[in-house]
């Protein structure tokens, strides 16, 4: 199975500042046939299910604010929140869907306000 | 609007069984491939298993930790997904989410989850 590793495990950022979360996969999640990275990012707030933010590594799901962006290719990916808002406090997960049916998630990164 | 509502969780003794249900609405359930994902208290997300639509064969796949103990099934007439669990262990304690990928390349629709606690 593909192993997903996120860094850091936790992060404290001031309101209005940039937050950056990294995700590394144990093997490439890029399909060369369509040049798409099978990588998604989720946000999970306490007591709620995960919410899909980004898929294909950089495509925002409908309704997701444009301060959220995803980048990267192959095995290394980044989720960036350009200007942190109070409502962005959550745990963030990366996920690969390259090797379905087995979906694997990173261990999560807890984002807090400094 | 897609809605997924899980039910059936509760407290069960080690070695016991429990059947979870997920009732779906707002999309064409008969065509959907459905998944279960779980989350142990304070831990991350773990994929449990998947069932394809019956038109795609209705086959199932499971994560290694649950293979042979859990069974996923579906009743398209009731728009309902099931997870039959057996030989439960303490490490199966988790919130179990029903999830699917309608109109998306990955799991974009999630229920609120149902908590299974395995304890004596």
């Amino acid at each position: 199975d593909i192993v997903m590793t996120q860094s850091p495990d936790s992060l404290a950022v001031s309101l209005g500042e940039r937050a950056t979360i990294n995700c590394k996969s144990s093997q490439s999640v890029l399909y060369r046939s369509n040049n798409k990275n099978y990588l998604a990012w989720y946000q999970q707030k306490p007591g709620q299910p995960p919410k899909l933010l980004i898929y294909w590594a950089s495509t925002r799901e409908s309704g997701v604010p444009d301060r959220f962006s995803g980048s990267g290719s192959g095995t290394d990916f980044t989720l960036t929140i350009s200007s942190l808002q109070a409502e962005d406090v959550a745990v963030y997960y990366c996920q690969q869907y390259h090797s379905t049916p087995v979906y694997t998630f990173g261990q999560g990164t807890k984002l807090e306000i400094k | 609007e897609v809605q997924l509502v899980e039910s059936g969780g509760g407290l069960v003794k080690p070695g016991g069984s429990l059947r979870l249900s997920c009732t779906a609405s707002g999309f064409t359930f008969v065509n959907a491939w459905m998944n279960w994902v779980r989350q142990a208290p304070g831990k991350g997300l773990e994929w449990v298993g998947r069932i394809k639509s019956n038109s795609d064969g209705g086959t199932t796949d499971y994560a290694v930790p649950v293979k042979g103990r859990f069974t996923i099934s579906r009743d398209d007439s009731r728009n309902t997904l099931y997870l039959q669990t057996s030989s439960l262990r303490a490490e199966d304690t988790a919130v179990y989410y029903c999830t699917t990928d309608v109109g998306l390349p990955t799991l974009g629709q999630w229920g609120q989850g149902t908590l299974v606690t395995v304890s004596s």
Side-chain angles (χ1 to χ4, degrees):
Chain A
D1 291 352
I2 298 177
V3 176
M4 309 300 290
T5 304
Q6 293 179 226
S7 63
D9 290 333
S10 64
L11 182 62
V13 174
S14 300
L15 289 173
E17 295 299 304
R18 179 185 299 260
T20 301
I21 299 170
N22 301 301
C23 174
K24 190 174 184 68
S25 57
S26 61
Q27 60 191 76
S28 177
V29 297
L30 172 66
Y31 264 117
R32 299 220 177 264
S33 59
N34 59 9
N35 200 37
K36 287 184 181 290
N37 287 282
Y38 285 55
L39 188 285
W41 288 96
Y42 293 83
Q43 175 193 65
Q44 187 178 33
K45 297 181 179 179
Q48 296 184 20
K51 174 187 175 183
L52 178 64
L53 296 177
I54 287 170
Y55 54 90
W56 297 136
S58 61
T59 301
R60 270 189 303 276
E61 168 64 320
S62 177
V64 173
D66 61 7
R67 64 179 180 274
F68 291 90
S69 64
S71 62
S73 185
T75 61
D76 292 279
F77 301 90
T78 300
L79 174 70
T80 301
I81 307 172
S82 59
S83 177
L84 188 71
Q85 305 300 303
E87 61 265 32
D88 300 335
V89 169
V91 178
Y92 292 85
Y93 295 92
C94 61
Q95 175 226 41
Q96 68 79 23
Y97 50 100
H98 178 280
S99 297
T100 56
V102 180
Y103 296 88
T104 48
F105 297 85
Q107 79 276 20
T109 295
K110 187 174 183 179
L111 177 59
E112 299 173 312
I113 305 293
K114 185 188 291 184
Chain B
E1 179 195 3
V2 171
Q3 281 205 314
L4 299 168
V5 180
E6 302 92 338
S7 60
L11 176 63
V12 60
K13 289 182 167 50
S17 301
L18 210 55
R19 188 177 81 158
L20 309 183
S21 301
C22 170
T23 303
S25 61
F27 64 102
T28 307
F29 181 79
V30 66
N31 294 336
W33 294 17
M34 300 297 297
N35 293 261
W36 288 97
V37 171
R38 69 184 180 182
Q39 186 170 37
K43 302 297 184 183
L45 300 163
E46 180 185 26
W47 176 81
V48 171
R50 178 190 77 183
I51 186 166
K52 294 182 179 180
S53 63
N54 282 320
S55 61
D56 289 317
T59 55
T60 52
D61 296 280
Y62 300 95
V64 168
V66 307
K67 198 166 188 177
R69 300 188 299 121
F70 289 12
T71 301
I72 298 174
S73 61
R74 63 192 298 157
D75 183 341
D76 291 341
S77 69
R78 297 176 184 268
N79 279 8
T80 301
L81 173 74
Y82 300 102
L83 179 66
Q84 178 68 53
T85 67
S86 63
S87 302
L88 284 164
R89 307 164 181 166
E91 54 266 35
D92 295 318
T93 294
V95 173
Y96 285 75
Y97 294 103
C98 164
T99 175
T100 189
D101 57 0
V102 175
L104 291 165
T106 189
L107 306 176
Q109 296 88 14
W110 297 67
Q112 288 297 314
T114 187
L115 175 62
V116 172
T117 303
V118 184
S119 175
S120 54

